Amino acid sequence: MANPRYWRENPSRYNLIGKRCENCGTVHFPPREICPKCRRKSIGKMKSHKLSGRGKVYSFTIVHEPMPDFSLMKPYIMAMVEMEEGVRLTGQIVDCEPARLSIGMEVEATLRKLGQEGSSGIIRYGYKFRPR
Amino acid sequence: MMFGHGEKDVGIVTYGAYIPRFRILPEEIARVWGENGEAMKNGLMIFSKSVPYPDEDVITISVEAARNALARADLDPEEIGAVYVGSESHPYAVKPSGTIVAEAIGASHFITVADYEFACKAGTAAMQTSMGLVSSGMAKYSLAIGADTSQGAPGDALEYSASAGGAAFIIGKEGVIARINRTLSFTSDTPDFWRREGQPYPSHGGRFTGEPAYFRHVATCAGELMKVQGTQPSDYDFAVFHQPNGKFPTRVAQQLGFEKKQYETGLTTPYIGNTYSASMMIGLSAILDVAKPGQKVLGVAFGSGAGSDAFDITITDEMENYNKAAAPTVKSLVERSELLDYGRYAKFKGKIVMKE
Ligand SMILES: [Zn+2]
């Protein structure tokens, strides 16, 4: 059985559903129950907010010593992506040669396999990014 | 006729396709196995085939196709009443692909979901079920997906054709861009191709199964549908058939009396290989990419085992208002490609045994 906490977060992981603070307008991902800027003023004002999936590469690194789930993709790109809504997400960039990648490049979210618990375990899915 | 005509007019409300971006050439596969690449290429009429990245499977491909379909339509995913994913390469033997697909497109939890299997025609079986649900009023919209990441055993003839891709059709009564005037199926017990539970690669009866399996089922199903509809090949602007390779659909089209200008638009296998459950549906998507109101389409899928599903389709005026540009066309998905050598291909497809 998959980790229950991980599993409960699947809908937000698949669909990039974060929370928007109705007090200051900041969008948070992963979803948070309290806005760190507004604290108590944000209580009851955190509304579900689906990100557009579009963003720009803010920074990136090429990974040459991968985790086991990523060994077939080595070397691969991990990037911090600034989403249209302002929030920054970390994720792998796929469908892109490392040489083609640049800061500021426009990317969009896609659903891919994140890993699996061996050949008999659960398969984990979630967002990655690719050039637009 | 026992099957194929509903109470109410239904059709395709929106559609989307997806093809992974990697390709391998037949010459490269032949180089490794000591075969004649030129002969394979010309014999199968396959010039390249698509290969999924290691993090792609039927579920991710289905989600891509379904999201492309939703992007083009002004449709609330919560109005979808059913999700059916047809494939012969579902990632799980037990746990429906559709459960993850439905969650990932933002569908309601109060829907019915099931995975379908019927070799290469599981996606069109899903379309037919969707037609029934919508026609009867049980669902407003129903999502039918055909997707596969098929495997041919290394060195087997199938390795030159088995590829990956998906197509998603949302069936409904309102906002129909392509009306399905009628569907019809032809099914028999024909052991042309199979895979036993737990086996990684399929088995097949070899070349001689073409006639009793593919040609008999496709030609009979298409012929019967045209008879029932009172149509003939010249009444259709486009025709698309299941495409295990480039040769079979070309030959069956010619046998039935279709001309190149009718079948070339939907013929995508020469460039992407056989996407199995998605094959006819991607071809149909390529036709919808260019079709104009009033034009007629004949689509015939085939699944080994064996059966054919045929569809008589008319493009409606709604196509004029349809936001086609909101998702990539099949042509752009075919063109967006990067070549692999056999080593990377084998690694991507998990053909190399790794230490756990
Ligand atoms: Zn705030």
Side-chain angles (χ1 to χ4, degrees):
Chain A
M1 186 60 209
N3 173 334
R5 195 175 73 94
Y6 189 90
W7 166 55
R8 274 199 304 274
E9 290 167 357
N10 275 344
S12 92
R13 192 174 291 117
Y14 296 168
N15 291 304
L16 292 178
I17 297 169
K19 290 262 178 159
R20 184 174 182 274
C21 170
E22 302 279 296
N23 194 52
C24 71
T26 306
V27 174
H28 301 277
F29 189 93
R32 312 179 66 133
E33 291 313 312
I34 286 183
C35 174
K37 289 184 198 164
C38 307
R39 298 195 182 255
R40 221 169 334 139
K41 282 189 206 155
S42 70
I43 293 172
K45 290 184 176 171
M46 301 298 285
K47 297 279 155 62
S48 283
H49 187 91
K50 189 177 187 299
L51 305 187
S52 71
R54 292 183 292 270
K56 285 180 178 166
V57 174
Y58 178 79
S59 70
F60 67 90
T61 178
I62 312 290
V63 182
H64 293 276
E65 294 294 332
M67 305 285 284
D69 279 333
F70 292 80
S71 59
L72 295 178
M73 297 177 273
K74 178 174 100 174
Y76 64 95
I77 308 160
M78 285 300 285
M80 203 184 268
V81 174
E82 184 159 295
M83 306 304 290
E84 280 182 343
E85 295 83 359
V87 62
R88 285 177 199 157
L89 272 59
T90 302
Q92 186 185 348
I93 309 258
V94 293
D95 287 1
C96 181
E97 284 297 304
R100 246 183 74 209
L101 192 73
S102 59
I103 303 275
M105 186 181 204
E106 294 197 358
V107 294
E108 64 187 0
T110 170
L111 186 89
R112 294 290 176 101
K113 273 196 308 195
L114 297 180
Q116 58 185 4
E117 291 159 17
S119 55
S120 61
I122 207 88
I123 306 167
R124 296 187 308 275
Y125 296 90
Y127 60 85
K128 294 187 178 183
F129 297 93
R130 64 162 168 236
R132 276 185 74 188
Chain B
M1 201 61 53
M2 303 304 293
F3 173 75
H5 197 64
E7 291 277 307
K8 297 257 168 36
D9 273 359
V10 299
I12 298 161
V13 172
T14 185
Y15 70 100
Y18 178 76
I19 302 161
R21 74 189 281 264
F22 296 95
R23 305 281 183 274
I24 187 163
L25 305 179
E27 295 91 321
E28 176 64 7
I29 298 171
R31 181 183 68 79
V32 170
W33 297 111
E35 285 171 333
N36 184 337
E38 201 61 27
M40 273 296 182
K41 183 167 84 179
N42 297 327
L44 295 168
M45 207 174 131
I46 289 180
F47 313 119
S48 71
K49 71 161 192 171
S50 66
V51 182
Y53 200 52
D55 64 359
E56 292 186 292
D57 63 14
V58 160
I59 290 174
T60 67
I61 289 170
S62 297
V63 170
E64 293 272 8
R67 284 179 176 173
N68 282 338
L70 284 166
R72 286 175 166 147
D74 181 21
L75 183 159
D76 180 356
E78 298 221 4
E79 289 189 305
I80 295 170
V83 173
Y84 296 109
V85 182
S87 179
E88 58 129 63
S89 43
H90 292 290
Y92 287 98
V94 178
K95 173 164 171 52
S97 301
T99 56
I100 297 165
V101 174
E103 192 85 57
I105 59 165
S108 159
H109 290 128
F110 291 100
I111 59 168
T112 180
V113 168
D115 283 0
Y116 273 3
E117 283 184 29
F118 195 142
C120 298
K121 76 164 196 73
T124 50
M127 284 173 67
Q128 294 177 327
T129 307
S130 295
M131 289 173 66
L133 288 184
V134 170
S135 175
S136 68
M138 282 180 71
K140 183 171 183 188
Y141 299 114
S142 177
L143 170 59
I145 298 173
D148 260 303
T149 55
S150 298
Q151 295 262 38
D156 189 280
L158 276 179
E159 199 188 7
Y160 291 87
S161 58
S163 70
F169 289 81
I170 296 181
I171 306 297
K173 271 188 298 216
E174 291 168 26
V176 167
I177 56 165
R179 191 174 64 244
I180 304 175
N181 306 309
R182 203 190 205 289
T183 182
L184 192 143
S185 292
F186 180 74
T187 311
S188 78
D189 173 15
T190 306
D192 58 322
F193 173 100
W194 62 92
R195 180 168 64 82
R196 293 278 301 274
E197 189 69 49
Q199 293 294 314
Y201 300 115
S203 305
H204 52 90
R207 280 171 181 275
F208 73 90
T209 57
E211 285 305 328
Y214 182 87
F215 290 99
R216 175 177 175 230
H217 288 77
V218 171
T220 307
C221 197
E224 193 66 26
L225 179 63
M226 288 191 278
K227 200 168 104 190
V228 168
Q229 291 296 90
T231 53
Q232 47 193 11
S234 58
D235 293 329
Y236 296 93
D237 297 279
F238 302 98
V240 56
F241 303 92
H242 173 55
Q243 304 162 30
N245 49 55
K247 276 276 165 73
F248 278 25
T250 305
R251 216 171 93 199
V252 84
Q254 289 166 351
Q255 276 176 9
L256 284 163
F258 289 96
E259 291 173 23
K260 192 176 178 192
K261 66 177 194 314
Q262 290 165 293
Y263 64 76
E264 66 185 352
T265 309
L267 192 60
T268 54
T269 281
Y271 314 101
I272 60 172
N274 179 7
T275 55
Y276 282 57
S277 300
S279 173
M280 192 284 268
M281 292 172 73
I282 289 179
L284 180 53
S285 301
I287 290 168
L288 294 176
D289 283 343
V290 298
K292 302 269 184 296
Q295 291 192 312
K296 276 182 74 70
V297 186
L298 177 74
V300 189
F302 170 75
S304 289
S308 260
D309 301 330
F311 300 85
D312 177 282
I313 296 168
T314 306
I315 310 301
T316 72
D317 292 343
E318 200 66 40
M319 188 61 109
E320 296 284 3
N321 314 317
Y322 181 62
N323 188 10
K324 220 177 267 184
T329 59
V330 171
K331 186 168 182 283
S332 70
L333 290 166
V334 168
E335 286 168 356
R336 189 197 65 138
S337 62
E338 180 181 335
L339 279 184
L340 297 174
D341 59 22
Y342 196 89
R344 284 183 81 203
Y345 160 74
K347 186 175 83 166
F348 280 16
K349 286 296 285 172
K351 288 175 193 272
I352 297 172
V353 180
M354 306 286 286
K355 193 168 182 297
E356 283 243 339

